[in-house]
Amino acid sequence: MDATLTFLGTGTSMGVPTLACACAVCTSADAHDHRLRPSVLLQWHGAETGTERAVVIDTGPDFREQALRAKVARVDAVFYTHGHADHILGLDDLRPLSFVSDRRGGPIPLYADQETAAVLRQVFAYTFSPQATYPTRARVELKPLAARNPVDGVEFLRIPLLHGEMPINGFRFGNAAYMTDVSAIPESSFALLEGVELLAISALRHAPHPSHATVEQSLAWARRVGARQTWFTHIAHDLGNEETNRTLPANARLAYDGLSVPVTL
Ligand SMILES: [Zn+2]
Ligand SMILES: [Zn+2]
């Protein structure tokens, strides 16, 4: 089944431009160098119903702006990689989309591991607490993240990853995988990546960082996975789009906000 993967945001946690920074990338006139916080949107026509389906991975602080730009009119499920601010703070902007979902039949399922769900319950207590009575709260429902999570016939596989010391999740769907904020891939996760042709993976910069992979590390993983096409995301202001792309192999590029690529589910 044909689907489209859209990069809603490709920046690191502080975004690019970064506040108070006047470096060449932060002041670049190239739109590819403007990066909102990391998130992707997967859209396809449902096997069971034939209607359009849309899944978002992470709702960061820029979600509203990203959803407007991508003309997102429905969200069928959200998957969370982990509970850091740059991946969750836009949850409240799901509200209007959740009202649409609720009228259609139910709340939007939010798939999160236990640690992430605990953060979401705390940050958005007025949405999730059993005593929540705020009338226009998001119509969303936390669902435990399993090894396999079907959405209208499409399986989303959880790929366990490490983000510094913190266990987080990547996701595989069809011939593609999305792995952001990764600094180490457990050996057992490589089996789940067998046959992945399109890899979307974070690559912060060239200099080492305790909780994020460098471009070189992510390139090495892409080679090991055997990806035919690799798109880097969660990119810091150290990397200019054009100059970095000139140094990369032909099948690897920095993604940019708004980029859509075809995937097969
Ligand atoms: Zn992040
Ligand atoms: Zn993070």
Side-chain angles (χ1 to χ4, degrees):
M1 188 167 26
D2 293 336
T4 304
L5 181 70
T6 300
F7 290 84
L8 296 178
T10 57
T12 186
S13 57
M14 295 186 207
V16 182
T18 299
L19 289 176
C21 183
C23 79
V25 176
C26 285
T27 56
S28 164
D30 182 351
H32 298 95
D33 287 329
H34 290 232
R35 305 175 185 129
L36 297 176
R37 265 56 74 88
S39 173
V40 288
L41 166 72
L42 184 72
Q43 292 168 300
W44 73 96
H45 286 276
E48 289 161 22
T49 57
T51 50
E52 193 199 289
R53 294 287 175 217
V55 162
V56 173
I57 303 181
D58 291 333
T59 53
D62 301 316
F63 176 70
R64 176 177 170 275
E65 189 179 342
Q66 295 167 330
L68 286 169
R69 185 192 274 181
K71 298 188 167 57
V72 174
R74 67 178 290 154
V75 169
D76 294 284
V78 179
F79 285 87
Y80 284 100
T81 60
H82 63 301
H84 282 166
D86 54 322
H87 298 259
I88 65 161
L89 284 187
L91 183 150
D92 213 44
D93 287 322
L94 288 169
R95 287 190 300 148
L97 294 159
S98 79
F99 303 151
V100 174
S101 171
D102 211 35
R103 279 198 297 275
R104 204 185 288 121
I108 300 177
L110 311 181
Y111 293 89
D113 62 28
Q114 268 185 16
E115 294 71 22
T116 307
V119 174
L120 294 177
R121 282 197 187 93
Q122 188 181 5
V123 174
F124 298 99
Y126 65 94
T127 301
F128 294 110
S129 111
Q131 290 82 37
T133 53
Y134 183 54
T136 58
R137 67 189 181 277
R139 272 43 169 184
V140 291
E141 182 184 19
L142 282 169
K143 298 254 198 191
L145 186 63
R148 293 168 178 272
N149 309 270
V151 178
D152 196 19
V154 174
E155 295 248 57
F156 288 78
L157 258 67
R158 172 190 199 171
I159 313 278
L161 303 172
L162 283 171
H163 179 25
E165 308 269 285
M166 182 187 194
I168 63 164
N169 311 291
F171 297 99
R172 176 174 184 172
F173 31 93
N175 72 341
Y178 178 70
M179 310 201 294
T180 189
D181 292 59
V182 56
S183 59
I185 305 177
E187 201 50 41
S188 52
S189 289
F190 280 101
L192 304 170
L193 294 167
E194 233 168 75
V196 162
E197 295 177 302
L198 186 149
L199 183 64
I201 186 167
S202 54
L204 188 74
R205 60 191 192 194
H206 294 299
H209 186 283
S211 44
H212 290 281
T214 60
V215 173
E216 290 66 28
Q217 176 64 77
S218 289
L219 260 182
W221 285 327
R223 269 194 295 271
R224 174 160 176 199
V225 167
R228 298 219 309 239
Q229 196 186 3
T230 299
W231 292 102
F232 294 124
T233 187
H234 209 293
I235 307 159
H237 63 164
D238 307 53
L239 304 179
N241 185 274
E242 204 190 315
E243 64 188 72
T244 307
N245 279 341
R246 266 191 262 123
T247 67
L248 294 175
N251 64 350
R253 287 288 175 268
L254 298 190
Y256 52 88
D257 292 19
L259 169 72
S260 287
V261 290
V263 304
T264 307
L265 298 178

Coordinates of all heavy atoms in Angstrom, one line a residue, residues 11 18 22 29 34 42 46 49 75 83-84 87 89 96 103 142 158 206 215-216 221-222 227-228 239 241 251:
G11 N 14.2 20.0 13.2 CA 15.2 20.7 14.1 C 15.4 19.9 15.4 O 14.7 19.1 15.8
T18 N 18.1 29.2 16.4 CA 18.1 29.1 17.8 C 18.1 30.5 18.4 O 18.8 31.3 17.9 CB 19.3 28.3 18.2 OG1 19.3 27.0 17.6 CG2 19.4 28.1 19.7
A22 N 23.5 34.0 16.3 CA 23.6 34.7 15.0 C 24.6 34.0 14.1 O 25.2 34.6 13.2 CB 24.1 36.1 15.3
A29 N 19.4 32.4 4.7 CA 18.2 32.8 3.9 C 17.6 31.6 3.3 O 16.5 31.6 2.8 CB 18.5 33.8 2.9
H34 N 15.6 26.4 8.1 CA 14.7 26.7 9.1 C 14.0 25.5 9.6 O 13.3 24.8 8.8 CB 13.6 27.7 8.6 CG 14.2 29.1 8.4 ND1 13.6 30.2 8.9 CD2 15.3 29.5 7.6 CE1 14.3 31.3 8.5 NE2 15.3 30.8 7.7
L42 N 2.4 10.4 8.8 CA 2.3 9.3 7.8 C 0.8 9.3 7.4 O -0.1 9.3 8.2 CB 2.7 8.0 8.5 CG 2.6 6.8 7.5 CD1 3.8 6.9 6.5 CD2 2.7 5.5 8.2
G46 N -6.9 3.9 4.1 CA -7.1 2.7 5.0 C -7.5 1.5 4.2 O -8.3 1.6 3.3
T49 N -11.2 0.6 5.4 CA -12.2 1.5 5.1 C -12.0 2.3 3.8 O -13.0 2.9 3.3 CB -12.3 2.5 6.3 OG1 -11.0 3.2 6.4 CG2 -12.7 1.9 7.6
V75 N -6.4 13.3 12.5 CA -5.3 12.5 13.1 C -6.0 11.2 13.7 O -6.9 11.4 14.5 CB -4.5 13.3 14.2 CG1 -3.6 12.3 14.9 CG2 -3.7 14.4 13.5
G83 N 9.3 11.4 26.4 CA 8.6 12.5 27.0 C 9.3 13.8 27.1 O 8.9 14.7 27.9
H84 N 10.3 14.0 26.3 CA 11.0 15.3 26.4 C 10.1 16.4 25.7 O 9.3 16.1 24.8 CB 12.3 15.3 25.7 CG 13.4 14.6 26.5 ND1 14.6 14.2 26.0 CD2 13.4 14.3 27.8 CE1 15.3 13.7 27.0 NE2 14.6 13.7 28.1
H87 N 9.1 17.0 22.1 CA 8.3 15.9 21.5 C 6.9 15.8 21.9 O 6.1 15.1 21.4 CB 9.0 14.5 21.7 CG 10.4 14.5 21.1 ND1 10.7 13.9 19.9 CD2 11.6 15.1 21.5 CE1 11.9 14.1 19.6 NE2 12.5 14.8 20.5
L89 N 5.1 18.8 23.8 CA 4.4 20.0 24.3 C 3.2 20.5 23.4 O 2.5 21.4 23.8 CB 5.4 21.2 24.6 CG 6.2 21.0 25.9 CD1 7.0 22.3 26.2 CD2 5.2 20.7 27.1
P96 N -8.7 20.6 18.6 CA -9.7 20.7 17.5 C -9.7 19.4 16.7 O -10.8 19.0 16.3 CB -9.2 21.9 16.7 CG -7.9 22.2 17.1 CD -7.7 21.7 18.5
R103 N -16.4 13.2 17.2 CA -17.7 13.2 16.5 C -17.8 12.0 15.6 O -18.8 11.5 15.4 CB -17.8 14.5 15.7 CG -18.3 15.7 16.5 CD -18.8 16.8 15.7 NE -17.8 17.4 14.8 CZ -17.0 18.3 15.1 NH1 -17.0 18.8 16.3 NH2 -16.1 18.8 14.2
L142 N -4.9 7.6 26.4 CA -3.5 7.0 26.4 C -3.6 5.5 26.2 O -4.5 4.9 26.9 CB -2.9 7.3 27.8 CG -2.3 8.7 27.9 CD1 -1.9 9.0 29.3 CD2 -1.1 8.9 26.9
R158 N 7.3 -1.2 17.5 CA 8.2 -0.4 18.4 C 9.6 -0.8 18.3 O 9.9 -2.0 18.3 CB 7.7 -0.7 19.9 CG 8.6 -0.1 20.9 CD 8.1 -0.7 22.3 NE 8.6 0.1 23.4 CZ 8.3 0.0 24.6 NH1 7.4 -1.0 24.9 NH2 8.8 0.7 25.6
H206 N 28.2 17.1 13.8 CA 29.4 16.3 13.7 C 30.1 16.0 15.1 O 30.6 14.9 15.3 CB 30.5 16.9 12.8 CG 30.0 17.0 11.4 ND1 29.7 15.9 10.6 CD2 29.8 18.1 10.6 CE1 29.3 16.3 9.4 NE2 29.3 17.6 9.3
V215 N 26.3 12.7 12.7 CA 26.1 12.3 11.3 C 26.8 11.0 11.0 O 26.2 10.1 10.4 CB 26.5 13.5 10.4 CG1 26.4 13.1 8.9 CG2 25.7 14.8 10.6
E216 N 28.1 10.9 11.4 CA 28.9 9.8 11.0 C 28.3 8.5 11.6 O 28.3 7.5 11.0 CB 30.3 10.0 11.5 CG 31.1 11.1 10.7 CD 30.5 12.5 10.9 OE1 29.9 12.8 11.9 OE2 30.7 13.3 9.9
W221 N 25.0 3.4 10.9 CA 23.8 2.6 11.2 C 23.0 2.4 9.9 O 22.5 1.3 9.6 CB 23.0 3.2 12.3 CG 23.5 3.1 13.6 CD1 24.3 2.0 14.1 CD2 23.4 4.0 14.7 NE1 24.6 2.3 15.5 CE2 24.0 3.5 15.8 CE3 22.7 5.3 14.8 CZ2 24.1 4.2 17.1 CZ3 22.8 5.9 16.0 CH2 23.5 5.4 17.1
A222 N 22.9 3.4 9.1 CA 22.1 3.3 7.9 C 22.7 2.3 6.9 O 22.0 1.5 6.3 CB 22.0 4.7 7.2
A227 N 19.7 0.5 4.3 CA 18.7 1.4 3.8 C 19.1 1.9 2.4 O 20.3 2.3 2.2 CB 18.5 2.6 4.8
R228 N 18.1 2.0 1.5 CA 18.4 2.5 0.2 C 18.4 4.0 0.2 O 19.1 4.6 -0.7 CB 17.4 2.0 -0.8 CG 17.4 0.5 -0.9 CD 17.1 0.0 -2.3 NE 15.9 0.6 -3.0 CZ 14.9 -0.1 -3.4 NH1 14.9 -1.4 -3.3 NH2 13.9 0.5 -4.0
L239 N 24.8 22.4 11.3 CA 24.8 21.8 10.0 C 23.9 22.6 9.0 O 22.7 22.7 9.1 CB 24.2 20.4 10.0 CG 24.9 19.4 10.9 CD1 24.2 18.0 10.8 CD2 26.4 19.2 10.6
N241 N 22.2 23.1 5.4 CA 21.6 22.1 4.5 C 22.5 21.8 3.3 O 22.9 20.7 3.0 CB 20.2 22.5 4.1 CG 19.5 21.5 3.3 OD1 19.6 21.4 2.1 ND2 18.7 20.6 3.9
N251 N 22.8 8.6 -1.4 CA 21.5 8.1 -0.9 C 21.2 8.6 0.5 O 20.4 8.0 1.2 CB 21.5 6.6 -1.0 CG 22.5 5.9 -0.1 OD1 23.4 6.6 0.5 ND2 22.4 4.6 0.1

